[in-house]
Amino acid sequence: MSNNKVAIVTGGTRGIGLGIATELASKGFDLAINGRRPESDVAEVLAQLSAQGGQVIYLSGDLADGEFRKSLVEKVQAHFGRLDLLVNNAGIAPPVRADIIDANEDSYDLVMDVNLKAPYFLTQLVAHEFRKQFAADPNFRGCVINIGSISAEVASTNRGDYCLSRAATSMATKLWAVRLAEFNSTAYEVRPGIVATDMTAGVQDKYDAMIADGLLVEPRWGQPADIGRAVALLASGELSYAPGQVLTIDGGLTLRRL
């Protein structure tokens, strides 16, 4: 069994997920990184994470596949002998940004499967592991952190399916925070704003102009490391008496101003 705390980070080889994995590695976590690319394509990233001292394993597969989700958790337990943290980071934008009047069901189903169904049922599997670990050790504390989006509250009519998936992520966080309390465990949501990743690269000019025009209180793009630090804070257990809470990392975009 690992002596370090163990975290699963989905979508952990690039963008926000890599920012999270990097920060957790720096805090002494062993990591199980999930992604869809072959391991040979992410070898350099895995080496960088391993260089921080902890164990790192890579589990490639599609989280929308229920059998893969089950095997992922089983392999983590077989390798490390424990699981302390699940970071549900993997998510997608709609394949095409379409006005909700014209959007199609295929896009809706895909976005909901990846952004909502997959993390919901992966959390269910992890909850069973938390229950077993708590039964063996009453001092055990598990944690689930869902990476959401300001799109849970900020309406974008050209990607309604994404907004709906992120609004539902917030309720899933609350539900799991209530249910996991029985096992001395909890759930949080980290809600990023405009973060420089592959997902936002195609709209860089749009957001550059909006930021220059005063969209944000802190006038800069968010970076994956900003989200990583927020996740590490919640994972540390230092934030007490706050189950199910949302930590919004958006440069002040959603602050109401006159």
Side-chain angles (χ1 to χ4, degrees):
M1 176 181 287
S2 173
N3 291 322
N4 296 333
K5 288 188 175 182
V6 175
I8 295 173
V9 182
T10 67
T13 63
R14 61 176 135 193
I16 287 175
L18 180 55
I20 292 167
T22 300
E23 190 66 22
L24 291 175
S26 76
K27 301 299 184 185
F29 277 81
D30 288 341
L31 300 174
I33 303 295
N34 159 255
R36 297 191 62 175
R37 292 181 287 171
E39 185 164 354
S40 58
D41 290 358
V42 298
E44 184 176 344
V45 168
L46 299 177
Q48 291 171 357
L49 293 172
S50 297
Q52 299 195 55
Q55 295 186 58
V56 180
I57 63 172
Y58 182 63
L59 300 165
S60 176
D62 183 0
L63 290 169
D65 180 343
E67 287 303 312
F68 172 70
R69 291 193 297 268
K70 182 179 178 182
S71 71
L72 184 153
V73 175
E74 289 174 347
K75 287 176 180 177
V76 170
Q77 282 288 18
H79 185 88
F80 294 109
R82 64 183 294 170
L83 176 58
D84 303 87
L85 171 66
L86 168 64
V87 182
N88 285 312
N89 166 75
I92 60 169
V96 177
R97 291 185 176 228
D99 189 299
I100 57 174
I101 288 179
D102 303 312
N104 64 63
E105 292 188 28
D106 289 343
S107 174
Y108 181 95
D109 290 342
L110 177 63
V111 170
M112 289 297 179
D113 278 350
V114 175
N115 292 3
L116 184 60
K117 181 179 177 180
Y120 184 83
F121 285 103
L122 180 57
T123 302
Q124 183 186 72
L125 292 168
V126 168
H128 285 287
E129 299 303 320
F130 286 178
R131 177 165 58 185
K132 287 186 284 189
Q133 290 175 113
F134 178 66
D137 177 8
N139 293 316
F140 170 79
R141 178 186 183 274
C143 184
V144 174
I145 300 175
N146 290 325
I147 307 303
S149 169
I150 57 168
S151 292
E153 293 187 351
V154 179
S156 299
T157 57
N158 65 346
R159 51 192 185 116
D161 41 12
Y162 182 78
C163 292
L164 288 171
S165 74
R166 290 317 186 192
T169 295
S170 286
M171 178 50 71
T173 302
K174 294 178 177 66
L175 289 166
W176 285 116
V178 173
R179 189 64 186 89
L180 292 172
E182 181 183 334
F183 321 128
N184 193 36
S185 300
T186 195
Y188 301 107
E189 179 190 351
V190 173
R191 188 176 290 176
I194 301 168
V195 180
T197 67
D198 295 348
M199 188 181 291
T200 54
V203 288
Q204 181 175 345
D205 291 344
K206 170 187 173 181
Y207 286 130
D208 281 346
M210 295 174 75
I211 292 170
D213 198 39
L215 177 68
L216 306 179
V217 175
E218 188 172 335
R220 66 171 177 87
W221 280 76
Q223 298 299 319
D226 295 315
I227 312 306
R229 285 188 288 270
V231 168
L233 168 66
L234 296 174
S236 72
E238 291 300 312
L239 182 66
S240 59
Y241 207 57
Q245 293 304 298
V246 178
L247 189 53
T248 302
I249 311 297
D250 70 349
L253 188 154
T254 55
L255 282 178
R256 299 182 70 178
R257 289 175 279 169
L258 291 174

